[in-house]
Amino acid sequence: ENNFECSVKANEFQGMISKLNPTVKLTIEQKDKQLLISGDNIRSGFAIIEEGQVFKNISSFLETKKEPKLLPLNFIKGLSLCRFSVARDAMFGALAAVYVSGNRIISGDDFRIGRYVLDSSIDESMLIPAEAVTQLIKMPIIKYYMTQGWAHFLTDKNIQFSTRLLAIDYPDVDPY
């Protein structure tokens, strides 16, 4: 068993793993500044990102002493159902994101509003950009923690997905 940490471009990595059969056994190793993944009829390599702001951010996340909290069991379902009513264009600001607060998930554009009630509440509010929601609903996330301007989600295997949060107010949709 090799213990290592590294970063790769998320779009490339997600594109490859989303096409895999979940029963395929994979071997993952780090070699010559590449993350190598191999298995049944699969061999792929990803350049490791070692420098720049992304690496500094990841290092600071790994040093965080925050204890991850469990997400409500129906969190992914709520994100998935509310995703349809998110504005498709970032120029809509907060409406191009999904708002999670307490036991509610809310989304909307100029025509629709989506509301979902979670099984339990989360302690902190978050405004998750639509593109991040699209990726998160594909992952078996079960825990989260937050740092300044970021939400970090973890799977049962401790794989972490981090996303920047929007730092603007979400409109009050309760009157509608």
Side-chain angles (χ1 to χ4, degrees):
E1 181 177 317
N2 294 331
N3 289 323
F4 60 88
E5 297 174 358
C6 66
S7 299
V8 295
K9 289 187 177 181
N11 288 342
E12 294 173 9
F13 185 74
Q14 173 62 33
M16 193 277 288
I17 63 170
S18 66
K19 296 174 186 171
L20 293 176
N21 180 331
T23 61
V24 171
K25 186 172 181 168
L26 297 175
T27 300
I28 301 174
E29 61 184 333
Q30 182 180 352
K31 186 176 182 182
D32 299 329
K33 297 188 179 188
Q34 280 200 326
L35 179 69
L36 302 174
I37 300 175
S38 58
D40 299 337
N41 299 323
I42 298 166
R43 183 147 181 86
S44 194
F46 299 91
I48 293 174
I49 302 168
E50 293 188 31
E51 299 174 9
Q53 190 59 43
V54 171
F55 188 71
K56 289 177 187 173
N57 285 344
I58 291 169
S59 295
S60 70
F61 302 153
L62 295 173
E63 294 169 6
T64 297
K65 302 295 184 215
K66 285 193 169 194
E67 187 66 31
K69 299 172 188 172
L70 286 174
L71 285 165
L73 293 175
N74 59 346
F75 185 77
I76 292 293
K77 181 178 180 183
L79 284 181
S80 182
L81 291 172
C82 286
R83 173 67 180 100
F84 84 96
S85 61
V86 173
R88 305 286 184 242
D89 192 330
M91 74 177 237
F92 284 95
L95 296 179
V98 172
Y99 181 60
V100 183
S101 182
N103 71 338
R104 300 185 323 157
I105 299 177
I106 301 169
S107 62
D109 56 16
D110 281 344
F111 304 102
R112 306 166 289 191
I113 296 174
R115 293 184 185 132
Y116 188 84
V117 178
L118 296 166
D119 293 335
S120 58
S121 293
I122 63 166
D123 295 338
E124 301 169 88
S125 297
M126 56 182 94
L127 190 53
I128 308 170
E131 182 55 38
V133 171
T134 300
Q135 299 306 317
L136 282 173
I137 62 176
K138 299 175 186 176
M139 304 298 156
I141 56 173
I142 60 168
K143 294 180 183 178
Y144 79 101
Y145 69 95
M146 294 175 64
T147 57
Q148 187 64 38
W150 289 82
H152 313 278
F153 299 93
L154 295 109
T155 68
D156 58 348
K157 303 212 184 301
N158 253 1
I159 298 171
Q160 180 170 310
F161 298 90
S162 299
T163 182
R164 274 296 226 179
L165 299 175
L166 297 183
I168 51 180
D169 291 329
Y170 199 81
D172 182 11
V173 298
D174 286 338
Y176 306 101

